[in-house]
Amino acid sequence: MPDISPQDMAVKLMADGFTRTATVANTLSDPISDTPIIVTLDELRPYELDPRLTRNPLYEEIKASIHERGLDAPPPITRRPDADHYIIRNGGNTRLAILRELWAETREARFFRISCLFRPWPDRGEIIALTGHLAEDELHGRLSFIERALGVERARELYEQETGKSPSQSELARRLKADGYPVPQPHISRMQETIQYLLPAIPTVLFAGLGRPQIEQLTSLRRAGARAWESLCTTKSSPVDFPTLFQDVLALFDNAPGNFSAQRVQDELIGQMSELLGVEYDTLAFEIFDAEKRWQILSSEASSPPVNASKVALSTPQQKAISPATSKASTLSQPAPVIMPPKTAAIHRSSVPSIISPVSSPSGETPPDGQDEGNALLASVLQEHIVTPAGTTERLESIQQLIADHTGQTHPDFEQNVLRAIPVQVGGLYPITDIWYIDPTLDEPGRLRTHIAQFASEIASEAGDADNIETCEIGIGFRFRQDAVVFEPLSSPVLSLLHALSATYDSADYAAARAETLPLANVLGHLLLGTPDQASPSQEQFYRLSDSGLVKLFRLLRLARRLMDIEAGIKNSVNAVHGS
């Protein structure tokens, strides 16, 4: 065959039989597996749903490193189907912004053309991209609490679009963990509360980096305040509702992020609640604190397993002593209406401590799980009820448990029983949830005297002699009124008992302090136990304290003993139980 010239070959190739009929692709298709590619800044854009909404705190350090060393760790990229640009797949928006800034400053090609790892867009691309950015942002410059909260909320919306129903908090925690961003369910609860109740009022403070401890204080304050408001509004009326009040108070503190204080918010909220409800500030503060403390103890007791220990609590003999009151105490356990204390000295707002103080680690961060916080609170409360440790060992406990299992009995467990055995709430201004335990906010002489005087007044009122009791700032907090008739000897057993408790610690020149209390010995047994023959209902009522009065008497004695310890300077003595 003769050789064909190049011109003849070109003519043949240009003939009709060789004409291209297929469409010409404008761009190449994306790789179907992880592939290194080179892209320019014009082809690459940041991820639109990036949870980081504020400047990365490590921005300048990262920029200096990239300027000197180049991009050691190029971000992985991807592309949505039919999109004309690449996006950051997970973590890298900060590096992309730095590259654009360096390119504008230097015009060096190494900042414009970068080698990246392309990863195909997966079936659940949006969720995978969002959780990937959340995880990466945590590793390279921590997100603020509100940024994490908004990112988790966006993930919840994507899960809802995927399944057609809104996931519960537990389900959301499980899904986030499966997709590579584990978040405990208690944290999700706080995040949702933050978005719903705090973000509308203090966006500036939150985006300035308000930390989790203060956010937990605010959410705890909101819950405790709402419960107190609901209970008090049954007898009081207010022109506003609590959610509106809380939002208005919180919004007052959004203008100074660097000086924000949850304590100041608490102070302002309780102050406005006090004015609207007509309740004293100090009384309302204790109401909120006690309600939140009980709620935390009950929540932690229900969610966490009991800690095994064997100890002797002072509450056991006390509970036996008041066992006749068990049936009546159950009827008295309903919350009593709040009444104003007669002649009770008001305490300035600034002296009321923080209602909720989250348990913190040495680094300043709170435990990662709300259960740890509840366990620590429960252990602290249990410790305050222990007078002396029991002389036992783990081996002895195991033998006792084995015998109990063999005989079909239940071996008593201190931690399981103590919080159910001690509380004996009774009516009055200060309902008694625990005879022995003294909250740290109450553990100072002024407040102790206020409570002691109130209990003395309530005990005296059973005998119709409440008018003869007045509060004072010396002694144990109460005494007979100076203008009252002094009985020689005191004819009322109740007044004789109260006088015997208070007169010894009152001023020596006080007239009532010299009243004769010796006849009290003749009626003390009747006063505490009742008459032997139970002759008549009237006689029993006169000589015997009611079950409620007996509980108040025990509480009065406990507070008075603590007051004497503090004023004698033996707060840390072995004879005094600190903080209890």
Side-chain angles (χ1 to χ4, degrees):
M1 181 176 179
D3 295 337
I4 186 170
S5 65
Q7 293 79 6
D8 293 338
M9 178 64 72
V11 172
K12 289 181 179 295
L13 290 176
M14 297 297 292
D16 293 340
F18 288 93
T19 304
R20 182 187 299 272
T21 58
T23 57
V24 179
N26 295 325
T27 59
L28 296 176
S29 61
D30 291 332
I32 60 175
S33 61
D34 294 358
T35 305
I37 64 174
I38 296 178
V39 296
T40 66
L41 295 182
D42 294 337
E43 298 173 308
L44 185 58
R45 297 183 186 176
Y47 178 59
E48 302 88 339
L49 303 180
D50 184 18
R52 188 183 298 282
L53 302 176
T54 57
R55 186 184 179 93
N56 191 324
L58 303 177
Y59 187 93
E60 294 300 331
E61 290 85 344
I62 298 174
K63 180 179 178 180
S65 176
I66 294 177
H67 183 269
E68 296 297 329
R69 301 171 49 86
L71 198 61
D72 289 336
I77 63 175
T78 188
R79 180 155 57 183
R80 295 186 179 91
D82 301 327
D84 59 354
H85 60 273
Y86 299 99
I87 61 173
I88 303 295
R89 188 178 188 273
N90 54 278
N93 282 357
T94 297
R95 282 171 283 174
L96 178 58
I98 291 174
L99 287 172
R100 293 186 185 279
E101 191 172 311
L102 289 173
W103 164 247
E105 294 173 357
T106 66
R107 310 305 290 183
E108 295 183 21
R110 64 191 180 114
F111 300 133
F112 182 73
R113 300 175 64 87
I114 57 177
S115 176
C116 297
L117 178 64
F118 176 87
R119 307 190 68 178
W121 184 259
D123 293 336
R124 303 173 63 244
E126 294 294 350
I127 294 176
I128 298 301
L130 177 59
T131 53
H133 275 274
L134 283 167
E136 286 294 322
D137 286 340
E138 285 291 333
L139 293 175
H140 302 93
R142 292 181 61 85
L143 294 171
S144 65
F145 187 90
I146 188 61
E147 288 174 331
R148 291 199 301 271
L150 292 172
V152 170
E153 177 61 20
R154 180 56 177 162
R156 186 198 64 77
E157 294 174 357
L158 294 176
Y159 287 130
E160 184 175 357
Q161 295 174 8
E162 184 180 45
T163 61
K165 62 179 181 179
S166 180
S168 64
Q169 292 180 0
S170 300
E171 178 68 11
L172 179 57
R174 187 189 65 78
R175 286 179 171 271
L176 288 171
K177 182 178 180 180
D179 287 330
Y181 186 64
V183 182
Q185 182 272 326
H187 288 197
I188 294 177
S189 176
R190 296 187 190 99
M191 290 174 176
Q192 293 182 351
E193 283 188 85
T194 301
I195 294 174
Q196 182 177 358
Y197 300 109
L198 305 186
L199 182 58
I202 51 171
T204 305
V205 171
L206 288 173
F207 284 112
L210 189 66
R212 184 179 129 200
Q214 286 189 300
I215 288 176
E216 288 178 345
Q217 288 182 354
L218 293 176
T219 54
S220 297
L221 174 62
R222 186 200 63 82
R223 288 193 301 264
R227 282 191 289 269
W229 182 276
E230 183 178 356
S231 64
L232 294 174
C233 276
T234 57
T235 57
K236 306 282 185 178
S237 60
S238 174
V240 297
D241 57 3
F242 182 79
T244 302
L245 175 64
F246 183 77
Q247 294 280 319
D248 292 344
V249 169
L250 201 56
L252 297 174
F253 300 90
D254 192 43
N255 54 359
N259 299 323
F260 183 84
S261 170
Q263 177 68 36
R264 292 173 58 199
V265 176
Q266 169 189 307
D267 179 68
E268 182 66 26
L269 178 64
I270 298 179
Q272 293 200 21
M273 289 176 63
S274 174
E275 294 176 2
L276 291 171
L277 298 176
V279 180
E280 282 194 3
Y281 180 96
D282 186 43
T283 302
L284 185 58
F286 274 109
E287 174 72 18
I288 293 177
F289 177 82
D290 290 341
E292 179 65 13
K293 198 68 166 288
R294 289 194 299 268
W295 181 84
Q296 285 195 352
I297 292 174
L298 293 175
S299 299
S300 60
E301 189 178 30
S303 62
S304 59
V307 182
N308 184 22
S310 178
K311 301 175 180 70
V312 177
L314 182 62
S315 56
T316 304
Q318 283 180 335
Q319 187 65 18
K320 291 180 180 179
I322 62 172
S323 57
T326 303
S327 59
K328 181 173 289 188
S330 63
T331 63
L332 293 172
S333 62
Q334 299 298 327
V338 175
I339 59 176
M340 301 304 297
K343 299 186 179 181
T344 300
I347 300 177
H348 192 269
R349 297 182 186 180
S350 61
S351 65
V352 180
S354 178
I355 290 178
I356 298 298
S357 299
V359 180
S360 301
S361 64
S363 63
E365 288 290 331
T366 53
D369 194 343
Q371 183 175 349
D372 294 340
E373 181 180 336
N375 288 341
L377 176 63
L378 180 60
S380 174
V381 174
L382 291 175
Q383 186 65 30
E384 301 299 348
H385 291 90
I386 300 169
V387 178
T388 56
T392 184
T393 62
E394 293 184 2
R395 177 173 176 79
L396 178 58
E397 289 182 13
S398 62
I399 294 175
Q400 292 173 341
Q401 183 64 51
L402 183 63
I403 295 174
D405 294 340
H406 182 72
T407 59
Q409 299 177 352
T410 301
H411 181 61
D413 184 272
F414 173 76
E415 275 76 6
Q416 286 184 339
N417 297 333
V418 64
L419 291 181
R420 290 195 296 265
I422 290 176
V424 280
Q425 187 170 358
V426 298
L429 178 61
Y430 302 120
I432 302 172
T433 57
D434 194 323
I435 291 177
W436 183 253
Y437 177 71
I438 299 177
D439 194 272
T441 60
L442 179 60
D443 198 23
E444 63 94 12
R447 292 174 183 246
L448 288 172
R449 285 191 174 94
T450 299
H451 280 240
I452 291 171
Q454 180 63 28
F455 289 136
S457 177
E458 292 176 5
I459 294 172
S461 66
E462 293 189 2
D465 292 319
D467 293 338
N468 292 328
I469 300 294
E470 70 173 2
T471 61
C472 62
E473 297 181 359
I474 59 176
I476 63 173
F478 73 92
R479 64 188 176 194
F480 283 102
R481 295 175 59 90
Q482 294 184 2
D483 56 349
V485 177
V486 179
F487 298 94
E488 296 286 353
L490 294 173
S491 59
S492 168
V494 174
L495 287 180
S496 297
L497 174 61
L498 295 176
H499 181 67
L501 294 175
S502 63
T504 305
Y505 304 98
D506 210 334
S507 58
D509 57 346
Y510 190 65
R514 297 193 296 270
E516 179 62 51
T517 59
L518 184 62
L520 177 63
N522 299 326
V523 296
L524 185 60
H526 293 175
L527 180 64
L528 299 179
L529 304 178
T531 54
D533 54 358
Q534 302 290 325
S536 66
S538 60
Q539 186 178 18
E540 177 187 0
Q541 183 179 5
F542 179 79
Y543 281 105
R544 174 174 166 173
L545 277 177
S546 67
D547 294 338
S548 173
L550 186 62
V551 171
K552 293 173 182 176
L553 177 61
F554 286 148
R555 182 61 172 171
L556 185 154
L557 294 174
R558 169 63 179 138
L559 297 182
R561 285 164 58 94
R562 178 59 181 164
L563 175 63
M564 293 299 101
D565 287 349
I566 293 176
E567 297 208 326
I570 59 172
K571 184 173 183 179
N572 296 321
S573 168
V574 295
N575 295 323
V577 180
H578 175 64
S580 60

